[in-house]
Amino acid sequence: MSMPYNPALDGVRALSILAVVLFHCEVPGARGGFIGLDVFFVLSGYLITALLAAEHRHGGIEIGRFYARRALRLYPTLLLMVAVYVGLAPIFWPADDRWLSAVLAALYVYDYALAFWELAYTIGHTWSLGVEEKFYLLWPLVLPLLLRTRHPVRWLVSAFVAVTAWRYGSALSGPWSQAYFRFDTRMSGILLGAIAALTQIKVSKHLLAVACVALLVLMALPSLPTSHQTEAVTLRITLAELSAFVLICFAAEHGGATFLASRPMVYIGRLSYGIYLWHFPLVLLLRDTQPLWITLGVTLAFSFTMAAICLHLVDMPLKRWRQKAWPQARSIA
């Protein structure tokens, strides 16, 4: 089942990845940039739910094909990054248990590993991929059941409230890491994205302005992992998710939105997965010993270059092959 391409959603991806990179580089004014991941989670929930709901309406979800498309889209670049890490770890990160880290990343379980164990964090940023991968595994099985109910959106809203309350309880009763990293505490944003896909709410420009200001304020406020940790994994994440919900509803309705759909933003959005995978180990090498301008400049140059290589030499050839193999299937995410 094909879906129309929406360039503004790639623009949302671009904003998200830039926020995360600035946060990891410890750029002043971006100390709350971890909320870029919350925007990613809402966007993933929206895109995958929209795709699967369309398939459901036109004859049913082909679960095996969906899993295969996801694997071909996500695994090659991840495994390439993990292989490079394993090769370079003895030189740059000799204290790491590199094989354990590689297995945790490749199996998408770094989210629970970081929540409960003391581990090397060099490729620990793959925890967020673990959150999304569990959603990809479960959602094609759950969504058809949900769509058969009389009020699927009510169920989703109830689930969002329940997961949010569960994360708040975890944050107030234990270390912030257990509330922050786990799939069961972080799928609230994904559920909001699913709500956006099934409701198609129209957003006024005034509400959009409020959401954008909220995201900018959240990004500027110092937070994880240095301070305000309980507040960060409770109120700030919820506000970021709700603001992202508004932004994505607007982008979904206005696919040609001038700034979000501009060519530079769309291209950065297309690179966002690769940028996310490649930037973090380099940031760890640079940020404690180098000036900010070197850390940021080298990280941006390296991660954009590696992401472009992966996009044009790995992802796009695989996508062309996939479209020949499954001519009626086109993944939008």
Coordinates of all heavy atoms in Angstrom, one line a residue, residues 131-166:
V131 N 13.6 1.1 21.6 CA 12.3 1.5 21.9 C 11.4 1.4 20.7 O 10.3 0.8 20.7 CB 12.3 3.0 22.5 CG1 10.8 3.5 22.6 CG2 12.9 3.0 23.8
E132 N 11.9 2.0 19.6 CA 11.1 2.0 18.3 C 11.0 0.6 17.8 O 9.9 0.2 17.2 CB 11.8 2.9 17.3 CG 11.8 4.3 17.7 CD 12.0 5.3 16.6 OE1 12.5 4.8 15.5 OE2 11.6 6.5 16.7
E133 N 12.0 -0.3 17.8 CA 12.0 -1.6 17.3 C 10.9 -2.5 18.0 O 10.2 -3.2 17.3 CB 13.3 -2.3 17.4 CG 13.4 -3.6 16.7 CD 13.1 -3.5 15.2 OE1 13.4 -2.5 14.6 OE2 12.7 -4.5 14.6
K134 N 10.8 -2.3 19.3 CA 9.7 -3.1 20.0 C 8.3 -2.6 19.5 O 7.4 -3.5 19.4 CB 9.9 -2.9 21.5 CG 11.2 -3.6 22.0 CD 11.4 -3.2 23.5 CE 12.8 -3.8 23.9 NZ 13.9 -3.1 23.3
F135 N 8.2 -1.3 19.3 CA 6.9 -0.8 18.7 C 6.7 -1.5 17.3 O 5.6 -1.9 17.0 CB 7.0 0.7 18.6 CG 6.0 1.3 17.7 CD1 4.6 1.2 18.1 CD2 6.3 2.0 16.6 CE1 3.7 1.8 17.3 CE2 5.4 2.6 15.8 CZ 4.0 2.5 16.1
Y136 N 7.7 -1.5 16.5 CA 7.6 -2.1 15.1 C 7.2 -3.6 15.2 O 6.4 -4.0 14.4 CB 8.9 -2.0 14.3 CG 9.3 -0.6 14.1 CD1 10.7 -0.3 14.0 CD2 8.4 0.5 13.9 CE1 11.1 1.0 13.7 CE2 8.9 1.8 13.7 CZ 10.2 2.0 13.6 OH 10.7 3.3 13.3
L137 N 7.7 -4.3 16.2 CA 7.3 -5.7 16.4 C 5.9 -5.9 16.8 O 5.2 -6.8 16.4 CB 8.3 -6.4 17.3 CG 9.7 -6.6 16.8 CD1 10.6 -7.1 17.9 CD2 9.7 -7.6 15.7
L138 N 5.5 -5.1 17.8 CA 4.2 -5.3 18.4 C 3.0 -4.6 17.6 O 1.9 -5.2 17.6 CB 4.2 -4.7 19.8 CG 5.1 -5.4 20.8 CD1 5.2 -4.7 22.1 CD2 4.7 -6.9 21.1
W139 N 3.2 -3.5 17.1 CA 2.1 -2.7 16.5 C 1.4 -3.4 15.4 O 0.1 -3.2 15.3 CB 2.6 -1.3 16.2 CG 1.6 -0.2 16.2 CD1 1.3 0.7 15.2 CD2 0.6 0.0 17.2 NE1 0.3 1.5 15.6 CE2 -0.2 1.1 16.8 CE3 0.4 -0.5 18.5 CZ2 -1.2 1.7 17.6 CZ3 -0.7 0.0 19.3 CH2 -1.4 1.1 18.8
P140 N 2.0 -4.0 14.4 CA 1.2 -4.7 13.4 C 0.3 -5.8 13.9 O -0.7 -6.2 13.3 CB 2.3 -5.3 12.5 CG 3.5 -4.6 12.8 CD 3.5 -4.2 14.2
L141 N 0.6 -6.3 15.1 CA -0.2 -7.3 15.8 C -1.3 -6.7 16.6 O -2.5 -7.3 16.6 CB 0.6 -8.2 16.7 CG 1.9 -8.9 16.1 CD1 2.7 -9.6 17.1 CD2 1.5 -9.8 15.0
V142 N -1.1 -5.6 17.2 CA -2.1 -4.9 18.1 C -3.0 -4.0 17.3 O -4.2 -4.0 17.6 CB -1.3 -4.1 19.2 CG1 -2.3 -3.4 20.0 CG2 -0.5 -5.1 20.0
L143 N -2.5 -3.3 16.3 CA -3.3 -2.3 15.7 C -4.6 -2.9 15.0 O -5.7 -2.3 15.2 CB -2.5 -1.5 14.6 CG -3.2 -0.4 13.9 CD1 -3.7 0.7 14.9 CD2 -2.3 0.3 12.9
P144 N -4.5 -4.0 14.3 CA -5.8 -4.5 13.7 C -6.8 -4.8 14.8 O -8.0 -4.6 14.5 CB -5.3 -5.8 13.0 CG -3.9 -5.6 12.8 CD -3.4 -4.8 13.9
L145 N -6.4 -5.3 15.9 CA -7.4 -5.5 17.0 C -8.0 -4.2 17.5 O -9.2 -4.1 17.8 CB -6.7 -6.3 18.2 CG -6.0 -7.6 17.9 CD1 -5.3 -8.2 19.1 CD2 -7.1 -8.6 17.3
L146 N -7.1 -3.2 17.6 CA -7.6 -1.9 18.1 C -8.6 -1.3 17.1 O -9.6 -0.7 17.5 CB -6.4 -1.0 18.3 CG -6.6 0.4 18.9 CD1 -7.0 0.3 20.3 CD2 -5.4 1.3 18.7
L147 N -8.3 -1.4 15.8 CA -9.1 -0.8 14.8 C -10.5 -1.5 14.7 O -11.4 -0.9 14.1 CB -8.4 -0.8 13.4 CG -7.2 0.1 13.3 CD1 -6.5 -0.1 12.0 CD2 -7.6 1.5 13.5
R148 N -10.6 -2.7 15.3 CA -11.9 -3.4 15.2 C -12.8 -2.9 16.4 O -14.0 -3.3 16.4 CB -11.7 -4.9 15.3 CG -11.1 -5.5 14.1 CD -11.1 -7.0 14.0 NE -10.4 -7.5 13.0 CZ -9.2 -8.1 13.1 NH1 -8.6 -8.3 14.3 NH2 -8.5 -8.6 12.0
T149 N -12.2 -2.2 17.4 CA -13.0 -1.7 18.5 C -13.9 -0.5 18.0 O -13.6 0.1 17.0 CB -12.2 -1.3 19.7 OG1 -11.4 -0.2 19.3 CG2 -11.3 -2.5 20.1
R150 N -14.9 -0.2 18.8 CA -15.8 0.9 18.5 C -15.1 2.3 18.6 O -15.3 3.2 17.8 CB -17.0 0.9 19.4 CG -18.0 1.9 19.0 CD -19.3 1.7 19.8 NE -20.0 0.5 19.4 CZ -21.1 0.1 20.0 NH1 -21.7 0.8 20.9 NH2 -21.6 -1.1 19.6
H151 N -14.2 2.4 19.6 CA -13.5 3.7 19.8 C -12.0 3.5 20.0 O -11.5 3.6 21.1 CB -14.1 4.4 21.1 CG -15.6 4.6 21.0 ND1 -16.2 5.5 20.2 CD2 -16.6 4.0 21.7 CE1 -17.5 5.5 20.3 NE2 -17.8 4.6 21.3
P152 N -11.3 3.3 18.9 CA -9.9 3.0 19.0 C -9.1 4.2 19.6 O -8.1 4.0 20.3 CB -9.4 2.7 17.5 CG -10.5 3.3 16.7 CD -11.8 3.2 17.5
V153 N -9.5 5.4 19.2 CA -8.7 6.6 19.7 C -8.9 6.7 21.3 O -7.9 7.0 22.0 CB -9.2 7.9 19.0 CG1 -8.5 9.1 19.7 CG2 -8.8 7.8 17.6
R154 N -10.1 6.4 21.8 CA -10.2 6.4 23.2 C -9.3 5.4 23.9 O -8.7 5.7 25.0 CB -11.7 6.1 23.6 CG -12.7 7.2 23.3 CD -14.1 6.8 23.8 NE -15.1 7.7 23.2 CZ -16.4 7.6 23.5 NH1 -16.8 6.6 24.2 NH2 -17.2 8.5 22.9
W155 N -9.2 4.2 23.4 CA -8.2 3.3 23.9 C -6.8 3.8 23.9 O -6.0 3.6 24.8 CB -8.3 1.9 23.1 CG -9.5 1.1 23.5 CD1 -10.6 1.0 22.7 CD2 -9.7 0.3 24.6 NE1 -11.5 0.1 23.3 CE2 -11.0 -0.3 24.5 CE3 -9.0 0.1 25.8 CZ2 -11.5 -1.1 25.5 CZ3 -9.5 -0.7 26.8 CH2 -10.8 -1.3 26.6
L156 N -6.4 4.4 22.8 CA -5.1 5.0 22.7 C -4.8 6.1 23.7 O -3.8 6.2 24.3 CB -4.8 5.5 21.2 CG -4.6 4.5 20.2 CD1 -4.5 5.1 18.8 CD2 -3.2 3.7 20.5
V157 N -5.8 7.0 23.8 CA -5.7 8.0 24.8 C -5.5 7.5 26.2 O -4.7 7.9 27.0 CB -6.9 9.0 24.8 CG1 -6.9 10.0 25.9 CG2 -6.9 9.8 23.4
S158 N -6.3 6.4 26.5 CA -6.2 5.8 27.8 C -4.8 5.2 28.0 O -4.2 5.2 29.1 CB -7.3 4.7 28.0 OG -8.6 5.3 27.9
A159 N -4.3 4.5 27.0 CA -3.0 3.9 27.0 C -1.9 5.0 27.2 O -1.0 4.8 28.0 CB -2.7 3.1 25.7
F160 N -2.1 6.1 26.5 CA -1.1 7.2 26.7 C -1.1 7.7 28.1 O 0.0 7.9 28.7 CB -1.4 8.4 25.7 CG -0.7 9.7 26.1 CD1 0.6 9.8 25.7 CD2 -1.4 10.7 26.7 CE1 1.3 11.0 26.1 CE2 -0.7 11.9 27.0 CZ 0.7 12.0 26.7
V161 N -2.2 7.9 28.7 CA -2.3 8.4 30.1 C -1.7 7.3 31.0 O -1.0 7.7 32.0 CB -3.8 8.7 30.5 CG1 -3.9 9.0 32.0 CG2 -4.3 9.8 29.7
A162 N -2.0 6.1 30.8 CA -1.5 5.0 31.7 C 0.0 4.9 31.6 O 0.7 4.8 32.6 CB -2.1 3.7 31.3
V163 N 0.6 4.9 30.4 CA 2.0 4.8 30.2 C 2.7 6.1 30.9 O 3.8 6.0 31.5 CB 2.4 4.7 28.7 CG1 4.0 4.8 28.6 CG2 1.9 3.4 28.2
T164 N 2.1 7.2 30.7 CA 2.7 8.5 31.3 C 2.7 8.3 32.8 O 3.7 8.7 33.4 CB 1.9 9.7 30.8 OG1 1.9 9.8 29.4 CG2 2.4 11.0 31.4
A165 N 1.6 7.9 33.3 CA 1.5 7.7 34.8 C 2.6 6.7 35.3 O 3.2 6.8 36.3 CB 0.1 7.3 35.2
W166 N 2.7 5.6 34.5 CA 3.7 4.6 34.8 C 5.2 5.1 34.8 O 5.9 4.8 35.7 CB 3.6 3.4 33.8 CG 4.6 2.3 33.9 CD1 5.5 2.0 32.9 CD2 4.8 1.4 35.0 NE1 6.3 0.9 33.3 CE2 5.9 0.5 34.6 CE3 4.2 1.2 36.2 CZ2 6.3 -0.5 35.4 CZ3 4.7 0.2 37.0 CH2 5.7 -0.6 36.6

